[in-house]
């Protein structure tokens, strides 16, 4: 299953998996830095999960967001 960009407004960037049961969100914090969040619902065919990490720079946050999308991509 693929991921699609659902929101990108300069503060929040969010991707949703095509089954609708998983999202990855990258958000710029008002206090500085970035937060990346993975949310996989219990209804998903893979294991449910909720993870959140903080980063000082956007490049590192984007790398984490990409890694989570790749790890949680459902094939077939």
């Amino acid at each position: 299953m693929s991921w699609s960009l659902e929101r990108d407004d300069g503060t929040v960037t969010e991707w949703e998996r095509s089954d609708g049961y998983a999202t990855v969100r990258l958000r710029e914090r008002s206090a500085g830095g970035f937060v990346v969040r993975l949310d996989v619902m219990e209804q998903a065919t893979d294991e449910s999960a909720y993870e959140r990490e903080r980063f000082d720079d956007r490049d590192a946050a984007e790398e984490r967001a990409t890694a989570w999308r790749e790890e949680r991509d459902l094939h077939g």
Side-chain angles (χ1 to χ4, degrees):
M1 293 183 186
S2 62
W3 292 83
S4 60
L5 184 62
E6 294 296 315
R7 179 177 173 185
D8 189 5
D9 60 18
T11 301
V12 174
T13 304
E14 184 170 64
W15 298 265
E16 183 177 310
R17 195 167 63 187
S18 59
D19 66 353
Y21 294 125
T23 59
V24 172
R25 176 181 283 196
L26 187 157
R27 176 178 58 85
E28 186 172 0
R29 300 177 69 236
S30 59
F34 298 85
V35 172
V36 181
R37 187 255 306 140
L38 166 71
D39 189 6
V40 182
M41 295 181 211
E42 290 183 18
Q43 298 90 337
T45 57
D46 54 335
E47 186 176 334
S48 66
Y50 185 88
E51 297 183 50
R52 182 179 179 275
E53 294 184 28
R54 282 180 45 187
F55 296 91
D56 292 330
D57 65 86
R58 186 172 184 92
D59 287 341
E62 287 178 353
E63 286 178 21
R64 170 39 89 195
T66 298
W68 274 338
R69 290 193 317 274
E70 290 172 353
E71 290 167 14
R72 291 300 186 136
D73 193 28
L74 300 177
H75 302 283

